[in-house]
Amino acid sequence: MSAIVTSREVAEERSRYRCRYYGRRRALDRADRNFEGYAAWVTRFLDAAGVTGPVTVVGHSFGGGVATAVARDFPTRVSRLVLVNSVGGGVWSSAGGQKRPIRERPWWNWCVSAMVEAAESVHARRIPQFRLDEFAFNALRNAHGVWQTGNLARTADLIDALEEIAVRAMPVVVLWGADDHVIPRTNFHAVCAALGDPEVREVPGNHNWLIDDAELFGQVLTESQAGRAVSAPVLSPSFVFCSTTRIAQ
């Protein structure tokens, strides 16, 4: 059975962990500012939280790359991997439909896609104020860190790691917001192909669908854990969660 870490426990232990090990949020060493380094940080956090058994690791966007690295590098710590509109497929399609390495996707294309997503969510009043405040705080406090995180996500090719996870037959769930403007659909297909035969659930919404509709996210995640089809709303589960804004800190 997977260990369960509640959201409150994560928040409280995360605060204590910063004070105990990093003082005022000291950044990782430059050599560790990669998916492997962030994955190692996650395991140190679990140690600090007193979690010794395997856990379900959920990663969204850039956090999906971190979660993938945790599953590959520390398989005994992970009972199940859940990737939500994750980076790592390593490909994108240009205007002509030709598949190209993700590192060749221009910065302006990423930025325009992110702006479209933000505009949709702001227009629908779906972005919680604390998410806007958190991103603004990180961008002002550590602009270079935010840029590094963005560049790492922009060039993420984790196909080898995903294939290694597939060989180990680790349970994997891939959740995908069908109207994602940020992560190319070709990337999503590449992730699924590398994993072999993961459980895939496609839902309405854009890249930030889990933030826009937290109830749907909790419903899909909980029911996928139980192996049920999506039906009536259920309570959101607890999990170890890797997200872009948290990692950028």
Side-chain angles (χ1 to χ4, degrees):
M1 180 178 292
S2 300
I4 297 296
V5 183
T6 68
S7 299
R8 168 179 260 175
E9 289 169 342
V10 167
E12 291 176 350
E13 190 57 42
R14 180 167 166 259
S15 177
R16 290 196 293 270
Y17 180 71
R18 280 177 177 161
C19 294
R20 190 181 309 163
Y21 292 96
Y22 290 113
R24 295 183 62 82
R25 304 185 187 182
R26 181 174 67 83
L28 291 177
D29 293 336
R30 186 177 299 275
D32 293 329
R33 296 174 195 173
N34 48 47
F35 289 116
E36 294 77 12
Y38 289 123
W41 183 93
V42 171
T43 62
R44 293 197 297 273
F45 166 77
L46 290 174
D47 290 340
V51 179
T52 57
V55 299
T56 294
V57 180
V58 184
H60 169 240
S61 192
F62 175 86
V66 177
T68 297
V70 173
R72 178 194 59 188
D73 296 344
F74 305 94
T76 60
R77 307 297 299 267
V78 181
S79 60
R80 177 179 298 232
L81 174 65
V82 181
L83 301 177
V84 188
N85 290 70
S86 175
V87 302
V91 295
W92 74 294
S93 295
S94 59
Q98 181 182 3
K99 291 184 179 180
R100 300 168 61 181
I102 194 69
R103 64 179 179 276
E104 295 182 6
R105 185 182 181 187
W107 264 106
W108 65 263
N109 189 282
W110 282 99
C111 293
V112 169
S113 299
M115 291 172 64
V116 169
E117 292 259 346
E120 287 180 352
S121 294
V122 170
H123 178 72
R125 298 183 179 179
R126 294 180 300 194
I127 297 183
Q129 185 62 43
F130 80 90
R131 300 294 298 182
L132 293 173
D133 293 344
E134 184 175 64
F135 178 79
F137 175 77
N138 282 330
L140 291 173
R141 183 187 65 85
N142 187 12
H144 183 63
V146 171
W147 181 88
Q148 283 185 316
T149 300
N151 192 53
L152 189 57
R154 187 181 70 86
T155 59
D157 185 344
L158 297 170
I159 292 299
D160 289 345
L162 294 166
E163 290 177 344
E164 187 173 340
I165 291 169
V167 169
R168 295 173 180 167
M170 177 181 291
V172 181
V173 178
V174 179
L175 306 181
W176 176 255
D179 299 317
D180 193 331
H181 298 291
V182 177
I183 305 296
R185 178 169 281 273
T186 49
N187 182 94
F188 161 64
H189 289 313
V191 167
C192 293
L195 287 168
D197 187 28
E199 177 184 345
V200 178
R201 300 201 177 205
E202 192 164 338
V203 301
N206 59 23
H207 184 67
N208 293 317
W209 67 272
L210 69 168
I211 300 171
D212 296 343
D213 193 342
E215 182 177 2
L216 175 61
F217 177 51
Q219 172 186 334
V220 174
L221 185 60
T222 302
E223 296 191 352
S224 70
Q225 293 285 81
R228 302 194 303 270
V230 176
S231 55
V234 296
L235 292 177
S236 298
S238 303
F239 43 77
V240 175
F241 186 72
C242 303
S243 70
T244 303
T245 51
R246 298 297 185 190
I247 295 298
Q249 291 180 0

